[in-house]
Amino acid sequence: LAAGMAYLEGATPGSTTTRFPPEPSGYLHVGHAKASLLNDYYARRYKGRLVVRFDDTNPSKEKDEYQTSIVEDLGKIGVKPDVVTFTSDYFETIKQYALWMINNGLAYMDDTPQEQMQKERMDRQHSKHRDQSPSEAMEYFKLMCSGKEEGKPWCLRAKMDMSSDNGTLRDPVLYRQNTTPHHRSGTKYKAYPTYDLACPIVDSIEGVTHALRTTEYDDRNAQYQNISKMLGLRRVRIQTFARMNFMYTVMSKRKLTWFVDTGRVTGWDDPRMPTVRGVSRRGINIDALKKFMCSQGASRRIVNMEWSKFWAENKKEIDKYAKRFMAIDKIDHVCLTVTNGGDGTDFLTTDYLPKDPSFGKRLVRIGKKVLLEKVDTEGITVGENIVLTRWGVVEITKVDGGLEGKFVPDGDVKAAKRKISWIADDPENTPVILSEFDNLISKDKLEEEDKFEDYINPDTEADTEVIGDAGLKTLKEHDIIQLERRGFYRVDRAYVNESKPLKLFMIPDGKKKAMSGLDGKLAHR
């Protein structure tokens, strides 16, 4: 078993089926990613099947756009279902089960207004319709399914236990009218089953052996099992795990949609969004994502995770292959004249990845004019030896009126205190925009009574222009690199020309401070 995971109770290799049932009403976020990855892990661990089933029972919220994006995003995180199905494929079967419940006195039709029904359920009070005859209930069910206006107030409720301490057992709603055209079945149906009725039925039909559910469904598990017994369905084992919450973050589809609709982000793939597309664009490594999610897998304890732990796991992976380059601030830099640095036609070779020479080497131009970060030169003195990373030792010979020095071929690299990133001042250098991001929410944990709109972080994006070495022009979109002493970056746009420079998105590394004095403009997270 992977670290953090537990065995599935009663699971048999070769005959275990799990399912991930997303509603096609939004884009996948990292919480959904955990659920899908756990289901995929167990299906593979027990050499079984993973069903991805779209729970398309609410046509008011669903779109083909979301359905397509979910399939694409599951592919991005390496989840490959054995079969993709739709609850809507089983609407007729579910309807027959509902009719069977009515005919057997297990369900009734109710037109009690919603607020009154909610109060009656809180007070554990029976509906006035609970004892209606099956034939009467059948007439109202047909009226509801007709789509006629007079059928709109009616809904189907299961006869369970109105005296139960578990509120989900107090005669839950199983069917209600909705005349919005369905994105798959069109106008064929005018009433739809709730998730509570559809899920146990379809789980049983599709051969699901283990239903993994978050702890927020704990009360509903009894309802799930109750419906299964009522209908004589095959038993499905339920295993629970804690949902994934992150600090300074909202996961609700409604709230995330608000950020998109109000233009506070550029879309669902904005790197500040906690969606699979957002964290992918920010620079998440799929193996790191899987390891992190599995490490949280078996726990039922709900915690608000710090993003730093997520990104620290990511750094372990990207550090293995992120090629190293250098870049200097376009504005806050100082020119050093290396008097014996050559005429600008010379190069040195250095490893792309010092820890792993198999990644190859790159050419680095050297010359008399060298650009340094201004912050790195503060307090520098005549006679001081500095190290130009990957080149060697330079002895400073002049400070006032312009920085000058001479290259010391056999200088003592270890003895020098300053180890400085640099690039030769060369017309072939690459213009680069570095983008940093911060959390959309300014409060670490929002309470139920909090209005999230009151805690919007006004400063979540900052750009810095830098000058990078010529080798950066070879990078492609999605490449992940490290700018030495600045951090890790993902290529969001490859270099096109001077007016469309290379655009790099900073990838947090889990540390509260940057890896050097080059802190950037926003909080390092």
Side-chain angles (χ1 to χ4, degrees), residues 16 28 30 114 120 190 195 199 330 334 342 373 472 482 520:
T16 296
L28 288 187
V30 289
Q114 188 173 358
E120 287 177 357
K190 305 293 194 301
Y195 179 79
C199 190
K330 183 178 179 180
V334 170
E373 296 287 355
L472 291 168
Q482 181 183 334

Side-chain angles (χ1 to χ4, degrees), residues 32-44:
H32 298 129
K34 176 181 177 180
S36 63
L37 285 166
L38 293 189
N39 278 288
D40 182 65
Y41 172 82
Y42 281 121
R44 307 307 157 217

Side-chain angles (χ1 to χ4, degrees), residues 385-433:
N385 282 352
I386 65 172
V387 174
L388 299 185
T389 306
R390 313 276 179 246
W391 187 1
V393 175
V394 171
E395 181 187 344
I396 300 300
T397 57
K398 180 184 173 186
V399 173
D400 296 332
L403 207 57
E404 287 187 8
K406 62 179 180 180
F407 179 68
V408 183
D410 298 315
D412 189 347
V413 173
K414 292 183 179 179
K417 292 181 180 178
R418 296 179 195 252
K419 293 178 174 58
I420 297 177
S421 47
W422 60 280
I423 58 169
D425 187 6
D426 180 72
E428 294 299 314
N429 286 338
T430 308
V432 185
I433 297 174

Side-chain angles (χ1 to χ4, degrees), residues 25-132:
S25 59
Y27 287 73
L28 288 187
H29 57 57
V30 289
H32 298 129
K34 176 181 177 180
S36 63
L37 285 166
L38 293 189
N39 278 288
D40 182 65
Y41 172 82
Y42 281 121
R44 307 307 157 217
R45 168 68 178 73
Y46 290 100
K47 297 179 174 58
R49 295 169 65 245
L50 169 65
V51 176
V52 167
R53 179 198 315 140
F54 285 100
D55 173 45
D56 53 348
T57 56
N58 187 352
S60 298
K61 293 183 178 180
E62 294 148 9
K63 293 181 183 177
D64 282 329
E65 169 198 351
Y66 297 137
Q67 179 184 307
T68 302
S69 75
I70 289 170
V71 172
E72 290 175 356
D73 289 350
L74 288 174
K76 281 180 183 164
I77 60 175
V79 173
K80 296 179 181 177
D82 295 285
V83 61
V84 175
T85 66
F86 300 84
T87 298
S88 56
D89 292 338
Y90 304 96
F91 279 164
E92 201 56 44
T93 301
I94 298 168
K95 185 177 180 181
Q96 293 307 310
Y97 272 108
L99 293 172
W100 183 88
M101 291 181 76
I102 292 172
N103 282 325
N104 285 274
L106 299 174
Y108 62 96
M109 294 296 292
D110 195 355
D111 69 346
T112 304
Q114 188 173 358
E115 286 187 12
Q116 184 184 336
M117 185 187 295
Q118 191 173 12
K119 185 177 185 305
E120 287 177 357
R121 294 186 72 190
M122 292 291 288
D123 296 340
R124 308 186 188 204
Q125 179 183 338
H126 285 182
S127 165
K128 63 183 179 182
H129 296 294
R130 199 175 199 267
D131 297 324
Q132 70 190 182

Side-chain angles (χ1 to χ4, degrees), residues 8-12 14-22 38-40 42-43 46 48-54 81-87 90 195 198-213 224-225 228 233-239:
L8 278 185
E9 181 187 350
T12 305
S15 58
T16 296
T17 298
T18 61
R19 64 15 173 202
F20 174 59
L38 293 189
N39 278 288
D40 182 65
Y42 281 121
Y46 290 100
R49 295 169 65 245
L50 169 65
V51 176
V52 167
R53 179 198 315 140
F54 285 100
D82 295 285
V83 61
V84 175
T85 66
F86 300 84
T87 298
Y90 304 96
Y195 179 79
C199 190
I201 293 173
V202 182
D203 278 351
S204 179
I205 294 171
E206 293 188 336
V208 173
T209 59
H210 292 78
L212 275 63
R213 307 180 99 185
Y224 178 105
Q225 290 160 342
S228 294
L233 302 175
R234 178 184 52 79
R235 181 193 176 195
V236 175
R237 292 179 186 267
I238 295 174
Q239 187 146 324

Side-chain angles (χ1 to χ4, degrees), residues 186-362:
T187 56
K188 181 178 180 180
Y189 299 99
K190 305 293 194 301
Y192 296 89
T194 61
Y195 179 79
D196 294 333
L197 175 63
C199 190
I201 293 173
V202 182
D203 278 351
S204 179
I205 294 171
E206 293 188 336
V208 173
T209 59
H210 292 78
L212 275 63
R213 307 180 99 185
T214 54
T215 50
E216 65 193 297
Y217 281 93
D218 278 357
D219 285 348
R220 287 191 128 73
N221 290 341
Q223 182 200 82
Y224 178 105
Q225 290 160 342
N226 206 310
I227 291 174
S228 294
K229 287 178 183 176
M230 275 182 159
L231 299 176
L233 302 175
R234 178 184 52 79
R235 181 193 176 195
V236 175
R237 292 179 186 267
I238 295 174
Q239 187 146 324
T240 57
F241 63 93
R243 65 179 293 174
M244 182 70 71
N245 293 327
F246 279 95
M247 297 171 74
Y248 300 100
T249 305
V250 292
M251 294 285 198
S252 153
K253 287 180 187 175
R254 178 183 64 83
K255 294 171 184 174
L256 293 177
T257 300
W258 180 86
F259 277 100
V260 175
D261 291 346
T262 57
R264 282 170 171 79
V265 294
T266 56
W268 289 92
D269 66 345
D270 189 292
R272 294 164 290 183
M273 291 281 274
T275 53
V276 168
R277 295 188 171 210
V279 296
S280 295
R281 200 166 166 211
R282 192 89 180 262
I284 191 66
N285 171 276
I286 299 309
D287 289 335
L289 180 67
K290 287 181 176 180
K291 284 180 183 177
F292 182 82
M293 294 303 179
C294 287
S295 72
Q296 312 297 317
S299 174
R300 286 174 45 84
R301 187 166 62 94
I302 299 175
V303 294
N304 283 306
M305 299 296 302
E306 294 182 25
W307 280 105
S308 59
K309 294 180 180 177
F310 181 75
W311 292 114
E313 190 67 47
N314 191 59
K315 184 199 169 185
K316 293 177 188 175
E317 294 299 320
I318 63 176
D319 193 41
K320 298 173 185 175
Y321 61 82
K323 292 181 178 180
R324 273 53 168 174
F325 294 89
M326 284 192 272
I328 301 298
D329 195 289
K330 183 178 179 180
I331 299 170
D332 289 331
H333 69 259
V334 170
C335 184
L336 166 67
T337 300
V338 182
T339 54
N340 59 342
D343 60 3
T345 60
D346 294 328
F347 293 86
L348 58 85
T349 58
T350 183
D351 292 324
Y352 272 120
L353 215 60
K355 294 177 184 176
D356 188 350
S358 69
F359 276 80
K361 295 182 179 293
R362 66 186 181 98

